[in-house]
Amino acid sequence: MFKVNEDYLKLPGSYLFSTIAKKVSAFTEANPDKKIIRLGIGDVTQPLCPAVINALHSAVDEMASADTFKGYAPDLGYEFLRETIRDKVFKPLGAQVEADEIFISDGAKSDSGNIQEIFSRDTKVAVCDPVYPVYVDTNVMGGRTGTYDAATGLWSNVIYMPCTADNDFVASLPTEVPDLIYLCFPNNPTGASITKARLQEWVDYANEHKAVIVYDAAYEAYISEEGVPHSIYECEGARTCAIEIRSFSKNAGFTGTRLGYTVVPKEIKTDDGVMLRDLWARRHGTKFNGAPYIIQKAGEAVFSEEGQKQTGEQIAYYMKNAAYIKNGLAEAGYSVYGGVNAPYIWLKTPDNMTSWEFFDFLLENANVVGTPGSGFGPSGEGYFRLTAFGSYENTVEAINRIKAL
Ligand code: MLT
């Protein structure tokens, strides 16, 4: 008789966004006449911009001719895209990243879930709390999180770094030393950002303790303030301790198109000289046949002059939503955070409601879907996340409905 991977059996419940989707479809079925506004999962609503669409069309045409047809993509990514990212993303930041340290993938979710595979099973993991659930769940699957305490929502072998209003949602350096530290800035779910000086402290800490930081920069395009780093490689010494994960989903609307990349610098090595970069390349070679050519061409178009202008307009559109949500809820007396350098608004639930109580309350009374903060970890209890990725009209209607409650 076959046996399953018992680590999977330790996962409590279903994935957060699947749980929400189930609840919303049950509500919709019971209330078919209600117009539901979805500000839950961070999925974009604006169509792909013309520069991207044109690149997709041209690439599809190339596939139709024997002369230009492409089969398997290089598993680490096409050179044209790796070089464009080096030149258009990292060089302008003064950050040294080489093309052969950039690994193109089908998105940041897969990379942030898969990266743990190249670390040993006894790796001690530290996460911010609240946290994007993928980091913890995949380490559960990797068998390194210990036992789960349903009462506290904590895993025994994970170092949790609470992020609350008291520390502006930026964790302090942990007292117990981890091997692997997950950081996400601008943050999902709280919308908080970190200054370059604070991030430098994390880089120094990781180098001092020979830890590795997995830095999720999926939301960097939403940074509007000076002094907020777009990449961890803006910090001195990051090349010896930091892996950075990037996405095309939120900065260019590729949630349905799928494209992302991860940077693993050659300087991150074990004492025996094993490079993490080589392990990640080995994994890609074995488990991945490369992101599709047409999608990588679309990704390249994001960095063209018109691609930058058009995606910049999309970002401005979502940030107008963010401002509307933030200001509207503040006027209505809510305590609201985020929404300045990130497309997420994090709010304190009213009347001491739990996060899930507020979820139900909002769904039933305003027909608005958000994400319960506790779904991201115990420190998210009593908070709630709204995304700015809806249409402007729906965003305005949702906030007006919430204000009228
Ligand atoms: C979220 O809503 O947290 C994100 O959309 C999830 C993701 O990017 O996978």
Side-chain angles (χ1 to χ4, degrees), residues 135-147:
Y135 312 153
V136 176
D137 283 7
T138 54
N139 275 290
V140 176
M141 294 169 175
R144 57 179 78 81
T145 52
T147 50

Side-chain angles (χ1 to χ4, degrees), residues 17 41-42 109 132 188 219 250 344 385:
F17 292 104
I41 192 163
K109 182 174 182 179
Y132 179 43
N188 178 15
Y219 298 93
K250 313 297 159 94
Y344 292 124
R385 192 193 77 175

